[in-house]
Amino acid sequence: MSERTRRDWLRALGAASTAGVVGLAGCSAFDAGGETEDDTSGNGGSGDGSDGGGSDGADRPTAGPDDGVKTQFRQGLRNTGYVDAAIPEAVETAWELPANRGDHSASKGSPIEAPNGAIVLADDTGRVQSIAPDGSVNWATSISDDDRGSHGTPAIADGSLYVGTYDGVVSAVALDDGEVLWQTDAGDAAAASPTYLDGKLYVAIEHATPSGSVVKMDAESGEIEWRDERPTNHPHSTVAIDREHGRLIFGSNDGHCYAWSFPDLEREWAYDTGGDVKLPLAISEGIAVVPSWAGTVTGLDVEDGSMLWEFETDGGETAKGEPDPGSTGGVMCAPAVHDGEVYVGSHDSNAYAIDLETGEKLWSTPTGGWITGSAVATNDHVLVGSYDAKLYALDRDDGSVTWTAEGRGDVTSAPFVTDDAIYYAERAPEGSDEAGMCYKLVARE
């Protein structure tokens, strides 16, 4: 492990002018259309530590004021992607800001709310921004000069944010002013979003050959305290932790889902899905819900890794939406889980609801393009982004379209829902010099 202290040049890069970053409102088009409180220090989906983000009502602990963690990708340690909130029946754009500029196929980083009310976004330019609710930029800091920048979503705790970049560096940045606190070389690429718990970071790391590892880091110093090189072939699936069942689990591009005991971190089991596991899995009620490029979503027993069920998507389409009979309809979408139901999208352009216990399909809804990135469940809706440049709000009961919000590029980030807004980011439009945007949606007047 080597720690970088590149603060001088990083500050210079981070001081780049933010003039002109606030876009015009209204440019997007819209179409109507159980665990215990032991998990509280890993949850807190809306940034105030009050909506623990579990898989159901009994699985949604209330975080206390001293838990430290206020925000984490996928709404907590088990990556359930559920937010205890309601969304408007119709929306409009309050503002948009330039964000991603690259076209790398991996899902982009997602906006997330910090305890101070700011929206934090790491993008593929290698920059982290703190954005005020009115769309003005509080600060912008460059943490990497790698061509692919960051595709992860920061974890935020105790006044710092933590995020990795494609040069293999994990960085800690001060939340109030964007100062780089430490940087640690962890491998060749750190594309996964960090998972924070009790002063430690757990991150999947990519290495050349291709190979990979998972590390445990001290959040205060950046020191790597533990590494296991069992995962191979460029893992960038966010670590999930189930403390009730004592497991740390994530997936890899080698097609396997790997599990360690937690907190002692002994190897437990591995399951081969038959296709790349690129996005975070979700854990609920002792079941790990694993998306795979094999065209499947698999329910695994968290404790022993045995298969409980396997759901197959309907088939594949090309990125342009044409039928592709040779495709398996690979799943590169992080599933959301709530009230015993799984919500996930596929390369076959469909969004699905699946029964958590049986794996049976409850409904499916077509969109105009691949669905990658992350599904998010709210109290009454499911939010999914598509390659047709639209964010979809679907009714959880039957999958009907409540509304769509249309931008410019493929929507591959996880939308973030607050009490009064929805934030999401997109990839830069294909074949264009334009940047992909970060949007704020609010209730239509």
Side-chain angles (χ1 to χ4, degrees):
M1 184 277 290
S2 61
E3 186 171 333
R4 297 186 179 183
T5 56
R6 303 181 291 174
R7 192 166 297 173
D8 290 341
W9 73 265
L10 285 166
R11 282 176 175 169
L13 287 173
S17 172
T18 58
V21 295
V22 179
L24 298 175
C27 289
S28 296
F30 297 89
D31 302 319
E35 298 186 0
T36 68
E37 292 187 1
D38 191 41
D39 261 351
T40 56
S41 61
N43 291 326
S46 69
D48 62 2
S50 64
D51 64 347
S55 65
D56 52 34
D59 199 7
R60 203 164 59 245
T62 300
D66 299 322
D67 288 326
V69 173
K70 303 301 182 186
T71 312
Q72 192 144 285
F73 185 48
R74 304 300 296 156
Q75 275 55 46
L77 295 176
R78 288 170 293 116
N79 295 339
T80 58
Y82 166 68
V83 181
D84 185 8
I87 65 170
E89 291 298 315
V91 293
E92 61 186 7
T93 300
W95 50 253
E96 56 187 51
L97 298 174
N100 297 301
R101 295 189 179 276
D103 58 359
H104 181 45
S105 60
S107 298
K108 302 301 181 182
S110 303
I112 200 160
E113 188 182 38
N116 61 7
I119 298 300
V120 175
L121 177 65
D123 60 39
D124 65 12
T125 71
R127 169 187 58 188
V128 181
Q129 296 184 81
S130 170
I131 306 165
D134 65 2
S136 59
V137 176
N138 299 318
W139 53 258
T141 298
S142 290
I143 57 173
S144 174
D145 56 2
D146 186 88
D147 289 343
R148 292 181 173 179
S150 177
H151 285 49
T153 301
I156 299 175
D158 299 323
S160 299
L161 64 88
Y162 307 93
V163 69
T165 44
Y166 263 89
D167 54 7
V169 174
V170 178
S171 300
V173 178
L175 185 59
D176 58 352
D177 60 6
E179 179 185 6
V180 177
L181 303 176
W182 55 254
Q183 293 194 299
T184 298
D185 245 331
D188 293 311
S193 301
T195 298
Y196 176 100
L197 177 63
D198 294 336
K200 307 299 178 183
L201 301 170
Y202 301 86
V203 193
I205 303 295
E206 302 176 44
H207 301 274
T209 64
S211 62
S213 67
V214 58
V215 298
K216 174 184 176 181
M217 306 176 67
D218 182 81
E220 183 175 356
S221 66
E223 178 183 0
I224 295 177
E225 300 180 341
W226 169 83
R227 186 192 297 269
D228 191 319
E229 297 180 352
R230 179 171 63 161
T232 64
N233 194 6
H234 297 169
H236 48 257
S237 170
T238 300
V239 168
I241 298 174
D242 184 340
R243 293 200 287 181
E244 181 184 18
H245 298 93
R247 292 290 182 268
L248 180 150
I249 310 176
F250 69 98
S252 177
N253 281 9
D254 63 12
H256 288 78
C257 182
Y258 293 99
W260 289 258
S261 60
F262 191 83
D264 49 340
L265 299 175
E266 298 293 333
R267 295 181 182 181
E268 289 292 337
W269 52 262
Y271 179 87
D272 187 358
T273 70
D276 298 14
V277 181
K278 291 182 174 291
L279 270 290
L281 57 90
I283 298 175
S284 180
E285 300 178 17
I287 300 173
V289 181
V290 185
S292 171
W293 265 17
T296 60
V297 181
T298 305
L300 301 178
D301 185 285
V302 165
E303 293 188 352
D304 62 16
S306 59
M307 186 185 76
L308 303 175
W309 50 261
E310 185 178 80
F311 173 83
E312 294 187 7
T313 60
D314 288 344
E317 291 184 352
T318 69
K320 300 299 183 182
E322 299 89 359
D324 181 8
S327 171
T328 60
V331 182
M332 190 178 168
C333 177
V337 185
H338 181 53
D339 278 345
E341 296 182 3
V342 176
Y343 307 99
V344 69
S346 169
H347 280 58
D348 66 10
S349 302
N350 290 317
Y352 294 95
I354 305 167
D355 185 274
L356 175 63
E357 291 189 3
T358 66
E360 295 180 359
K361 183 171 75 172
L362 302 175
W363 52 255
S364 64
T365 299
T367 70
W370 289 359
I371 301 174
T372 70
S374 297
V376 169
T378 68
N379 292 336
D380 299 310
H381 291 86
V382 181
L383 297 172
V384 293
S386 173
Y387 269 47
D388 62 6
K390 294 178 182 179
L391 177 67
Y392 286 75
L394 308 177
D395 189 287
R396 282 185 48 215
D397 288 336
D398 58 11
S400 60
V401 178
T402 299
W403 51 257
T404 65
E406 185 169 4
R408 298 179 178 87
D410 305 331
V411 181
T412 64
S413 80
F416 191 86
V417 181
T418 67
D419 289 339
D420 59 359
I422 301 168
Y423 300 87
Y424 73 99
E426 66 185 4
R427 180 176 293 141
E430 185 177 359
S432 171
D433 292 333
E434 295 181 1
M437 295 292 180
C438 176
Y439 298 96
K440 178 180 181 178
L441 306 179
V442 295
R444 180 182 293 173
E445 296 293 339

